[in-house]
Amino acid sequence: QVQLVESGGGLVQPGESLRLSCAASGSISSLYAMGWYRQALGEVRELVADITSGGSIRYTDSVKGRFTISRDNAKNTVYLQMNSLKSEDTAVYYCNYEYRNRFGASVRTYWGQGTQVTVSS
């Protein structure tokens, strides 16, 4: 019921920047969390950053100070500004959208198609 379209991935050198975008359409909830997970080859998928409808933000420790998540409510879009990229950031990044109940629990989960981020010299 929710479609997520990602863009912004690519190949960059260490220290450079990328900005990911994720636009949501369909049955948009008034209570949600939206953000990105990533999965590197041979590794489990991990949360990178997300933001709730109430404005709460969280980041995984490895990206704090380098990545910034933001939201444009009018466009139902979230952005992930990724600065000072490292080779360790190389992964497929998946946009994630979660319906939340009033207690903050996830009741529906949707995934984008994934976008490849490669950081290499």
Side-chain angles (χ1 to χ4, degrees), residues 37-88:
Y37 287 67
R38 67 185 180 187
Q39 186 168 18
L41 283 175
E43 300 183 15
V44 299
R45 188 172 298 184
E46 66 171 350
L47 173 73
V48 180
D50 65 5
I51 183 169
T52 71
S53 51
S56 296
I57 294 171
R58 60 180 178 172
Y59 300 96
T60 191
D61 285 344
S62 63
V63 308
K64 289 180 179 177
R66 300 187 297 120
F67 291 9
T68 303
I69 189 169
S70 61
R71 176 180 64 197
D72 185 336
N73 287 329
K75 298 180 179 179
N76 293 319
T77 299
V78 293
Y79 306 93
L80 186 67
Q81 180 66 44
M82 304 186 293
N83 296 328
S84 302
L85 282 162
K86 305 175 180 179
S87 61
E88 298 95 315

